[in-house]
């Protein structure tokens, strides 16, 4: 296949259709961070701790103390919001990913892509994309939690050190390291399979399970080109990460940024200072995401064009529609 030509076509499409950048912004991981930040509630259950504790009390003792919890209707609504906001962020992210793929498919078929049609296509295939995402993430999530439950210090290092884990046997630590290694390997497999599985759903109308099998066949037969296509975007992302962190540290001192994070993390909310710090962090995360918008759109376009070539669908003006145009 034409490696440089595919990269060039992906860039050409990305630069000509700048509305694509909005979909790329909505698909970035930073959207999740912003959603989690805005999801912090200023209200919560009141935990009554005793006025004094024995000096020998450990962290485990504090966690197991009998406590009286006062939960109001507002508290229950706030707890419900903690689940709804991450779900809404995930839905928007998946719709944007499907929309990016749809836009390139329209262009590859000689049609004029549009934001509205692309977004509708992402919405149309939301459920199978969500199901596929859950199926792919089950194994890494299980390995991650298995490792952290046995010995959190294997993944979190000294930050997770506590007396109760320092008594772990060497066998438990080795087992936790094994689960951590399985987590890394399974995460890499998900990173390889996911891009083509979601394209199988949007472009070939496959089910969640079919898309995973379909993607595995594509990756297995084209592992070299897949790595070569991913490598330049990985290098660009790494360079942007270094540059943005250097600029951010020069503009905002690390101790000031850490202060804002801690203020929002431990504050009960309700004060003007809390909301100011929260707003500043949202703006920082949004600005931090901007440099990644164009590379994300370019990578999505390039991977979609490569997928169309590997599946024999990259035919300009093809009579067979790539997208389902039936009413939703």
């Amino acid at each position: 296949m034409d490696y440089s030509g595919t990269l060039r076509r992906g860039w050409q499409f990305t630069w000509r259709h700048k509305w694509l950048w909005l979909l790329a912004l909505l698909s970035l991981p930073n959207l999740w961070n912003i959603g989690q930040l805005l999801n912090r509630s200023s209200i919560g259950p009141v935990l009554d701790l005793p006025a004094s504790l024995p000096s020998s009390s450990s962290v485990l003792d504090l966690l197991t103390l009998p406590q009286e919890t006062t939960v109001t209707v507002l508290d229950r609504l706030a707890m419900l919001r903690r689940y709804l906001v991450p779900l809404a962020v995930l839905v928007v992210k998946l719709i944007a990913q499907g929309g990016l793929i749809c836009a390139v498919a329209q262009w590859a078929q000689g049609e004029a892509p549009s934001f509205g049609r692309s977004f509708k296509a992402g919405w149309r295939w939301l459920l199978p994309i969500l199901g596929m995402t859950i199926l792919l993430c089950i194994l890494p999530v299980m390995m991650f939690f298995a490792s952290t439950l046995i010995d959190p210090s294997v993944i979190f290092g000294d930050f997770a050190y506590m007396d109760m884990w320092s008594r772990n046997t060497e066998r438990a630590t080795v087992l936790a390291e094994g689960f951590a290694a399985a987590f890394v390997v399974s995460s890499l497999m998900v990173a390889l399979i996911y891009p083509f599985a979601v394209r199988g759903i949007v472009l070939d109308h496959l089910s969640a399970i079919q898309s995973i099998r379909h993607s595995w066949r594509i990756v297995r037969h084209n592992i070299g080109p897949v790595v070569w296509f991913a490598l330049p975007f990985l290098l660009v992302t790494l360079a942007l990460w270094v540059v943005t962190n250097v600029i951010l540290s020069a503009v905002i001192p690390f101790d000031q940024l850490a202060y804002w994070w801690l203020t929002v993390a431990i504050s009960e909310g309700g004060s003007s200072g809390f909301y100011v710090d929260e707003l500043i962090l949202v703006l920082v995360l949004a600005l931090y995401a901007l440099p990644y918008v164009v590379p994300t759109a370019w990578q999505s376009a390039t991977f979609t064009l490569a997928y169309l070539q590997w599946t024999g669908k990259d035919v300009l003006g093809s009579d067979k529609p790539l997208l389902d145009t039936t009413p939703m």
Side-chain angles (χ1 to χ4, degrees), residues 6-258:
T6 304
L7 285 171
R8 186 169 57 252
R9 288 180 64 199
W11 172 253
Q12 182 183 29
F13 175 78
T14 302
W15 190 253
R16 283 184 179 180
H17 303 86
K18 295 181 175 60
W19 52 264
L20 202 71
W21 301 357
L22 177 58
L23 289 175
L25 178 63
L26 294 177
S27 68
L28 286 175
N30 276 42
L31 179 68
W32 179 272
N33 295 331
I34 293 174
Q36 290 292 88
L37 189 62
L38 294 177
N39 193 34
R40 296 186 183 278
S41 175
S42 60
I43 55 176
V46 179
L47 301 179
D48 296 327
L49 294 175
S52 60
L53 293 169
S55 58
S56 60
S57 296
S58 65
V59 175
L60 184 60
D61 295 330
L62 293 175
L63 295 176
T64 56
L65 281 174
Q67 300 170 349
E68 296 181 6
T69 305
T70 304
V71 181
T72 66
V73 174
L74 291 178
D75 294 332
R76 296 186 185 278
L77 291 176
M79 293 168 64
L80 179 63
R81 192 183 70 177
R82 293 180 184 274
Y83 296 98
L84 293 180
V85 170
L87 179 61
V89 171
L90 179 61
V91 165
V92 171
K93 179 181 175 64
L94 296 180
I95 290 175
Q97 288 180 351
L100 287 169
I101 297 167
C102 171
V104 179
Q106 295 173 40
W107 180 67
Q109 202 173 20
E111 303 176 14
S114 65
F115 180 88
R117 187 181 173 194
S118 300
F119 194 86
K120 286 181 181 178
W123 173 259
R124 180 181 184 83
W125 301 107
L126 171 63
L127 289 181
I129 293 175
L130 179 60
M132 179 271 296
T133 303
I134 293 174
L135 288 175
L136 278 180
C137 292
I138 285 177
L139 183 59
V141 169
M142 289 177 59
M143 296 300 100
F144 176 83
F145 279 108
S147 179
T148 54
L149 285 174
I150 296 174
D151 189 349
S153 63
V154 170
I155 291 181
F156 297 108
D158 293 338
F159 292 103
Y161 185 85
M162 289 175 59
D163 235 13
M164 55 189 295
W165 290 309
S166 65
R167 294 192 294 268
N168 277 342
T169 63
E170 184 178 350
R171 179 178 298 179
T173 301
V174 171
L175 184 60
E177 291 174 348
F179 280 121
F183 164 71
V184 173
V185 172
S186 58
S187 297
L188 290 175
M189 293 300 298
V190 169
L192 287 173
I193 294 174
Y194 182 87
F196 304 105
V198 69
R199 283 159 177 81
I201 290 174
V202 175
L203 302 180
D204 288 316
H205 313 155
L206 302 177
S207 67
I209 296 178
Q210 289 173 337
S211 68
I212 295 175
R213 294 173 180 170
H214 176 67
S215 177
W216 172 245
R217 286 195 298 268
I218 291 178
V219 172
R220 188 179 57 189
H221 295 147
N222 303 277
I223 185 62
V226 168
V227 173
W228 278 111
F229 274 121
L231 185 59
F233 297 106
L234 180 63
L235 295 177
V236 168
T237 301
L238 180 61
L240 285 175
W241 182 82
V242 173
V243 171
T244 50
N245 276 278
V246 169
I247 295 176
L248 183 63
S249 61
V251 175
I252 305 176
F254 176 78
D255 55 348
Q256 180 62 52
L257 187 62

